[in-house]
Amino acid sequence: LPYTAQAAGGSDAGAWTFNGRGVLSETHPGWLATYDGQARVGGRSLRTLETAQVRFGGPERSARVKLATADGGRVDLDGRLTDAGTDVKAQLTGVTMGLLDEDLAGKVDGQLTLQGRGARLDGGLEAKLAGLRPRGAPASSGLDGTFRGRLAGDSLALDMTAANAQGMNASANVVLPAEASAAPFRIALVRQRPISGAFQARGEVRPLWDLLVGGERSLAGQVAAQGALRGTLDTPHAVGAVTVANGRFDDGATGLSLRNVSLKAAFAEDAIKVTEANGVDGHGGSAAGVGTISLQRGGGSSFQLDFKNFRVIDNDLATATGTGKATIERTADGKVRLAGALAIDRADVAARVPTPSGVVVMDVVEKNRPSDLRSALPPSNLGNGGWALDVALKAPRGVFLKGHGLDAELSLDAHVGGTTAHPDLSGVAHVVRGDYQFAGKRFEFDNTGVVYLSTRAEQVRLDLTATRDDPTLTASVRIRGTAARPEITLTSTPALPNDEVLSQVLFGRTASQLSPLEAAQLASALSSLAGGGGLDVIG
């Protein structure tokens, strides 16, 4: 049965396509399928160097495949599984790490062999890594190393080394209990039998952190770690110590930045005991912490943090410094809780004008949506709900809100509950002082004003009054309702219609005395107030 095949689709690894041809033949017993062609996943492509052959459905299952990558790498696989035994050989030559994981850069050369008969299966793996690093990282930070594995009887021994030009040197070896057989073919780790091993790392930690952790958080500094592994895969134990000196930690999501980070921790069988964790924010604040992190399945952990005038937020929207204590706890069921109380020493928030009330929200239907678009978008937060939150936030004053004509100082008495995935904000913010510039005129906020806080704009309730005193008129703008639907009313002493009040405030004379241009400006201001836009920034 000769065939041709073309297909395209999307996956977590990106868009994929393949295009080829071959022949499906009955071999009595079983089947033989051949294939010549090419395939592409994300930005990675492969093509056959010779006709690939796959046998299945009979006493023999085998594959003979030789592939070439677009950048000159090569993949060779020759494997045979029968009722009697296993014989597998695979080799990678000059293959870029991006072929295995699109987020990695570097190259790998490696060879895998598995051989055995009956219940006995032996094997070996040796791989050499060159310039291994996250995609986009400088080549100078890449790690060179080796990875060796040996399967013999009921044990799997793994040895790893890594080093780079920046002085990082790391190694690890571990012996894992295994169950393996050649016929039927099977390899499995035994989680209840003892393991053994050792590890060490010394030098600049950032290349290892970026490779193993990555994301929006980064850690740099000189690390020294060494230890031994014991226990089982289900209940691992570690003994040793780790220190970090002259470190730096950055969290892109919040703008949190720590300098002069120092850390001392000890591996004590089934837990990591952090005896010292310190850092400064570069703005006169500091943070310190101690705690115990359990390595046991179902073990509890606790970590205490102490902030002093520490900059907890530093991004385009706001900067904030605070003093207080917090505790991070993990219970036996795996749930994590962050609790504490933070006194805000100072916060500067940039006012952002919300969507004007006149803008209509429309439902959108996408046409010709690419099949791989979903995999290119950030995944939605569908995890376990995140950390539970129980944090009190207080500030007698010092919360400054500025921008778009607004200059206000607030006090704060708030609480953050819920989870990190779905936080729940409650409490109040009181006006300490402030004013708002509207059409070049200054309105001063009444210090009895209050905002009742919530996570959702439709539940943020407003009770604010802004007043302007002129020699002949006192005008007040009163804001009620919610942040999503503010209700704005305009009053004056002596009492006048809205158009007269605004005419006096904006131009210093009655509406009947305005020029056509001034009348148009007055009409625009009245329309803005009627739609809740005159003091939109309060939202």
Side-chain angles (χ1 to χ4, degrees):
L1 177 66
Y3 70 90
T4 59
Q6 293 180 334
S11 70
D12 290 341
W16 58 264
T17 61
F18 73 81
N19 184 1
R21 63 182 63 245
V23 177
L24 177 64
S25 306
E26 190 174 5
T27 57
H28 300 291
W31 301 84
L32 170 64
T34 66
Y35 178 80
D36 286 283
Q38 56 191 1
R40 186 178 183 88
V41 179
R44 300 152 286 173
S45 61
L46 292 167
R47 60 179 177 86
T48 55
L49 287 173
E50 63 178 41
T51 301
Q53 300 183 30
V54 178
R55 294 181 183 272
F56 60 96
E60 176 182 319
R61 290 163 292 159
S62 65
R64 181 179 176 84
V65 181
K66 294 185 178 182
L67 305 173
T69 65
D71 53 5
R74 179 165 172 165
V75 180
D76 294 273
L77 171 65
D78 192 350
R80 184 169 177 263
L81 306 178
T82 68
D83 294 338
T86 295
D87 191 353
V88 176
K89 294 181 180 179
Q91 185 165 343
L92 302 179
T93 306
V95 173
T96 59
M97 292 301 298
L99 182 66
L100 308 177
D101 186 335
E102 63 178 347
D103 293 326
L104 295 179
K107 289 195 173 184
V108 58
D109 292 278
Q111 184 172 344
L112 168 70
T113 60
L114 290 171
Q115 290 180 327
R117 295 293 180 269
R120 179 77 182 189
L121 179 66
D122 297 310
L125 168 66
E126 182 167 351
K128 293 183 178 180
L129 307 172
L132 179 62
R133 62 193 186 276
R135 186 177 65 176
S140 60
S141 68
L143 293 168
D144 299 332
T146 60
F147 183 92
R148 294 184 176 91
R150 183 171 60 87
L151 176 65
D154 60 356
S155 69
L156 175 62
L158 302 175
D159 292 279
M160 295 151 280
T161 65
N164 73 352
Q166 296 178 341
M168 164 55 67
N169 186 292
S171 65
N173 62 80
V174 61
V175 178
L176 305 174
E179 291 180 350
S181 68
F185 178 73
R186 180 175 182 268
I187 300 177
L189 297 178
V190 183
R191 304 188 65 84
Q192 294 78 29
R193 285 183 9 210
I195 65 173
S196 63
F199 62 90
Q200 71 84 26
R202 188 175 297 275
E204 172 56 51
V205 72
R206 180 158 188 174
L208 271 181
W209 176 277
D210 290 345
L211 185 64
L212 300 177
V213 181
E216 293 186 88
R217 300 178 179 89
S218 66
L219 176 66
Q222 294 296 311
V223 65
Q226 61 80 30
L229 300 174
R230 294 197 291 264
T232 67
L233 287 174
D234 275 344
T235 56
H237 294 165
V239 177
V242 59
T243 62
V244 177
N246 300 320
R248 173 172 177 169
F249 176 80
D250 293 287
D251 185 345
T254 63
L256 174 63
S257 184
L258 284 172
R259 304 291 187 274
N260 300 333
V261 173
S262 62
L263 172 71
K264 292 182 180 179
F267 300 99
E269 292 292 341
D270 56 359
I272 300 175
K273 295 185 177 180
V274 181
T275 56
E276 178 185 324
N278 299 300
V280 299
D281 61 6
H283 302 278
S286 64
V290 295
T292 301
I293 303 170
S294 176
L295 298 178
Q296 286 186 322
R297 186 184 298 270
S301 302
S302 178
F303 199 83
Q304 293 80 43
L305 292 165
D306 189 0
F307 300 103
K308 294 182 179 178
N309 199 32
F310 186 76
R311 182 162 290 192
V312 291
I313 297 176
D314 188 354
N315 55 35
D316 292 340
L317 179 62
T319 61
T321 59
T323 299
K325 298 180 183 294
T327 301
I328 302 173
E329 295 179 338
R330 187 188 71 185
T331 57
D333 58 4
K335 295 181 179 180
V336 182
R337 177 175 177 267
L338 172 62
L342 195 64
I344 304 298
D345 300 311
R346 181 185 175 104
D348 292 276
V349 183
R352 287 185 175 178
V353 177
T355 303
S357 57
V359 173
V360 178
V361 177
M362 300 176 64
D363 292 328
V364 176
V365 178
E366 298 183 52
K367 298 293 187 181
N368 303 315
R369 178 186 176 93
S371 59
D372 64 316
L373 180 59
R374 181 178 298 276
S375 63
L377 296 176
S380 58
N381 193 338
L382 298 177
N384 58 5
W387 293 6
L389 298 174
D390 183 10
V391 180
L393 301 173
K394 293 183 181 296
R397 60 186 308 157
V399 179
F400 298 94
L401 182 60
K402 297 181 180 181
H404 296 288
L406 181 67
D407 182 1
E409 182 181 2
L410 308 174
S411 66
L412 183 68
D413 186 357
H415 178 268
V416 182
T419 67
T420 51
H422 301 286
D424 184 14
L425 174 67
S426 60
V428 294
H430 291 272
V431 175
V432 177
R433 58 146 203 94
D435 57 64
Y436 180 68
Q437 298 288 335
F438 174 62
K441 306 299 181 179
R442 179 176 177 271
F443 285 77
E444 184 174 349
F445 283 113
D446 190 324
N447 61 11
T448 61
V450 61
V451 178
Y452 298 92
L453 304 173
S454 174
T455 312
R456 293 167 290 279
E458 63 271 15
Q459 295 182 2
V460 176
R461 291 181 291 119
L462 308 173
D463 188 358
L464 302 168
T465 301
T467 303
R468 174 177 175 78
D469 288 316
D470 283 331
T472 60
L473 182 73
T474 298
S476 297
V477 177
R478 193 171 185 184
I479 307 160
R480 299 292 184 271
T482 68
R485 292 181 177 273
E487 300 170 0
I488 300 176
T489 58
L490 188 63
T491 61
S492 67
T493 305
L496 294 172
N498 281 357
D499 59 343
E500 287 295 337
V501 175
L502 279 180
S503 179
Q504 292 282 354
V505 169
L506 298 178
F507 307 108
R509 53 187 181 274
T510 66
S512 61
Q513 297 174 322
L514 300 181
S515 68
L517 177 60
E518 291 171 335
Q521 293 174 330
L522 176 62
S524 176
L526 284 169
S527 176
S528 182
L529 277 176
L535 288 166
D536 232 356
V537 73
I538 296 301

